[in-house]
Amino acid sequence: MEKEILEHGYNFNRRRFLSRLSLGIGSAALGSLLIPDLFSGNNAEDDSLPPGIPHFAPKAKRIIYLFQNGAPSQQELFDYKPKLREMLGQEIPPSVRGNQRLTGMTANQSSFPLVGSFVNFQQYGQSRAWVSDLFPYTAKIVDDLCIVKSMYTEAINHDPALTFLQTGSQQGNRPSMGSWLSYGLGNENKNLPNFTVLLSRGIGNGQGVYSKLWSNGFLDSIHQGVQFSKGEDPVLYLRDPEGMDRHARRAMLDNLAELNDMAYQEFGDPEITAKVKQYEMAYRMQTAVPEVMDLSKESDDIIKLYGPDCLVPGTYAANCLLARKLSENGVRFVQLYHQGWDQHGNLPFEIAKQAKDVDQASAALVTDLKQRGLLDETLVIWGGEFGRTSYTQGKLTADNYGRDHHPRCFTIWMAGGGIKPGIVYGETDELGYNIAQNPVHVHDFQATVLHQMGLNHEKLIFKHLGRRYRLTDVSGKVVRDLIA
């Protein structure tokens, strides 16, 4: 054999051949242990890597998304527009408004008077970013933030806009961003879910949130977001019923797995195996969740950093602290929803209250992650589903006004996870109504977030009912200017 190899010009002998072969077999075995589905063949038709493997080296390992449900008014928080104050009460010029679609709440208005912010702004940090006086804590961390003032979307009402930002589609029954990341990257901690959801409520009832926002859609149900509540049982139905101990639970799950395996062999439904995985995850979470939820070991300095509300379950501050604990324990995607930002009227009073609810805890989360050395690998996102109009909705008085929905421009900020710190990206016109520079569509934002996690948004696909689906549908581009 050695002679044949030499005659054909190959520069190695039998010993080197067997040595190389053993290395290949060992690598394949290691790969199958690290990623059980690596050689399953389920993705043979895809040009992407199998689930569980990033497409390239990630800049971030985890995401905490601080979603401000109801659409915060950018004019009162980050998008400083002194011209609006100068033109108080004047009609918005037709050349600015154009043919914008109106909601049913302002479609019957005959007048659209401009209104500037009631609150003052100042510049902070080396970036000299303008930040509202409503956000004194956020102002202190401005050099850690990447403020994007040129986001835009097509949806003009809450449900489709919120669904679009979270799932990439204005219609329901699509996987959410957290589900796509769970599918694409797999588990980091086998004892906790990949994707968790935390809810809090600000002033009034606000716009509601619903489970379709953290749905797995057509992906396996193991990728669905797990909602944590503020009660004694943070995850419902996780505790064993009376009379059942851990040994009995283990025996029951083993027997159930055998029955499910028989059913799978007969019917071949992948949801059967997904259910088995969920049962096993719940069993492991029985130990892991109480430990994560325990705040008794947090130092006084941390409690002071987040504020006293962090000890009140279900508050925004408590959820921010819990998000840090979940993230540092390997949960890939932690989604917070804070309701109450829908200020169609009485905006000066209501937005001040909302800002106070979220300002300290949002800044504390970034500071906490940074001092623990976790900010570089954790992408923090803050923002809502669209913006607010530069003109008032309803009656304009000396001390009161409201703002309607505005999809043409809105502001978000990001921190950590390989995003450039201390920059302001994009600009709106002098009335804060249209984007003047560097527009960022929702799909561009989604593509950029996936990129930071090591995923190519065009290759993170799933074939369903004969069509290839992805989070960014058929568009979107990575905004390279935002990446450090």
Side-chain angles (χ1 to χ4, degrees):
M1 181 176 179
E2 290 181 10
K3 183 178 179 181
E4 291 179 0
I5 292 173
L6 291 172
E7 286 177 353
H8 285 83
Y10 295 102
N11 191 24
F12 56 88
N13 55 26
R14 181 192 294 116
R15 181 176 300 167
R16 293 187 66 188
F17 170 76
L18 293 174
S19 175
R20 295 286 182 88
L21 179 64
S22 65
L23 287 173
I25 294 173
S27 298
L30 178 60
S32 67
L33 288 172
L34 293 174
I35 306 159
D37 296 329
L38 182 59
F39 304 108
S40 65
N42 292 336
N43 294 77
E45 297 184 4
D46 295 342
D47 59 358
S48 60
L49 290 170
I53 305 179
H55 301 130
F56 44 83
K59 293 179 177 290
K61 294 181 179 179
R62 293 169 290 276
I63 294 173
I64 300 175
Y65 198 153
L66 307 175
F67 197 87
Q68 310 304 311
N69 189 37
S73 173
Q74 70 275 18
Q75 292 92 339
E76 272 70 35
L77 301 177
F78 295 105
D79 204 7
Y80 178 52
K81 296 298 172 186
K83 188 71 173 179
L84 273 179
R85 282 186 169 180
E86 294 176 18
M87 296 183 67
L88 176 66
Q90 298 181 37
E91 288 292 315
I92 184 170
S95 60
V96 174
R97 181 181 154 199
N99 296 319
Q100 186 201 356
R101 176 185 169 201
L102 300 177
T103 71
M105 290 164 285
T106 53
N108 294 323
Q109 281 189 201
S110 58
S111 177
F112 298 89
L114 294 168
V115 56
S117 175
F118 73 96
V119 66
N120 293 321
F121 281 68
Q122 298 181 59
Q123 287 180 289
Y124 295 90
Q126 293 183 355
S127 66
R128 308 308 296 155
W130 290 98
V131 180
S132 161
D133 288 353
L134 294 177
F135 273 169
Y137 289 92
T138 302
K140 294 177 182 178
I141 63 161
V142 73
D143 283 336
D144 293 315
L145 306 183
C146 171
I147 301 173
V148 182
K149 300 201 291 187
S150 53
M151 287 286 298
Y152 73 100
T153 183
E154 286 86 27
I156 199 170
N157 288 311
H158 293 287
D159 187 315
L162 180 53
T163 305
F164 185 50
L165 201 66
Q166 297 298 300
T167 72
S169 172
Q170 293 188 41
Q171 291 77 38
N173 301 319
R174 296 284 184 89
S176 63
M177 190 185 300
S179 296
W180 277 113
L181 286 167
S182 175
Y183 165 71
L185 295 175
N187 281 78
E188 189 175 4
N189 184 339
K190 297 294 184 182
N191 296 326
L192 288 169
N194 269 339
F195 176 19
T196 61
V197 179
L198 304 167
L199 308 181
S200 58
R201 181 170 292 178
I203 188 168
N205 291 323
Q207 287 296 319
V209 292
Y210 19 82
S211 59
K212 75 173 182 178
L213 298 174
W214 50 92
S215 168
N216 56 293
F218 42 69
L219 300 176
D220 287 346
S221 55
I222 193 68
H223 302 301
Q224 180 175 347
V226 176
Q227 181 183 344
F228 280 47
S229 67
K230 62 181 180 180
E232 286 187 26
D233 295 321
V235 180
L236 298 179
Y237 313 117
L238 194 61
R239 290 188 182 185
D240 290 331
E242 291 185 12
M244 176 173 282
D245 58 21
R246 295 284 289 172
H247 297 291
R249 169 67 73 179
R250 182 68 266 167
M252 185 273 287
L253 290 176
D254 290 341
N255 291 330
L256 185 60
E258 291 181 13
L259 292 172
N260 278 314
D261 184 61
M262 293 169 59
Y264 178 74
Q265 296 301 324
E266 182 175 355
F267 301 107
D269 184 355
E271 268 301 294
I272 296 174
T273 57
K275 291 295 183 185
V276 172
K277 292 178 181 178
Q278 287 178 316
Y279 291 141
E280 293 296 331
M281 172 62 74
Y283 179 76
R284 296 191 297 270
M285 285 170 63
Q286 286 181 322
T287 300
V289 169
E291 183 177 344
V292 171
M293 298 293 289
D294 182 13
L295 300 181
S296 63
K297 296 179 182 178
E298 297 296 327
S299 68
D300 292 340
D301 288 341
I302 291 297
I303 303 302
K304 183 178 179 181
L305 180 66
Y306 284 87
D309 280 352
C310 75
L311 297 177
V312 182
T315 61
Y316 181 82
N319 286 348
C320 282
L321 179 52
L322 181 56
R324 187 267 291 166
K325 289 173 67 66
L326 288 166
S327 183
E328 71 179 343
N329 278 278
V331 176
R332 288 202 185 275
F333 194 91
V334 185
Q335 177 79 68
L336 278 70
Y337 291 98
H338 187 63
Q339 302 171 63
W341 288 99
D342 194 22
Q343 280 94 42
H344 290 273
N346 200 23
L347 184 146
F349 170 77
E350 291 189 6
I351 200 169
K353 176 67 169 61
Q354 282 291 113
K356 187 175 182 181
D357 280 346
V358 307
D359 178 38
Q360 181 176 355
S362 299
L365 176 61
V366 173
T367 302
D368 194 7
L369 290 169
K370 187 176 181 179
Q371 64 191 15
R372 292 171 186 270
L374 296 173
L375 186 59
D376 288 344
E377 62 185 36
T378 308
L379 175 58
V380 183
I381 307 167
W382 188 102
E385 63 266 39
F386 43 57
R388 292 281 163 178
T389 55
S390 301
Y391 56 79
T392 184
Q393 176 180 336
K395 187 177 181 181
L396 173 62
T397 67
D399 59 358
N400 205 357
Y401 57 91
R403 298 190 190 273
D404 199 7
H405 309 164
H406 190 64
R408 286 193 180 185
C409 57
F410 62 104
T411 300
I412 68 168
W413 61 252
M414 296 184 280
I419 293 293
K420 283 182 182 177
I423 69 166
V424 177
Y425 187 79
E427 284 294 337
T428 57
D429 61 27
E430 61 182 1
L431 299 181
Y433 197 83
N434 295 300
I435 294 173
Q437 184 180 359
N438 297 327
V440 179
H441 187 262
V442 166
H443 283 322
D444 301 334
F445 161 73
Q446 292 163 338
T448 306
V449 169
L450 292 181
H451 179 274
Q452 297 307 93
M453 296 292 285
L455 296 170
N456 183 331
H457 72 107
E458 294 180 337
K459 292 185 177 181
L460 182 63
I461 55 179
F462 188 89
K463 192 170 183 180
H464 174 65
L465 298 178
R467 181 193 161 184
R468 293 186 177 199
Y469 288 87
R470 68 188 208 212
L471 175 63
T472 53
D473 197 33
V474 294
S475 60
K477 63 182 183 297
V478 176
V479 186
R480 302 282 176 181
D481 291 341
L482 302 181
I483 300 172

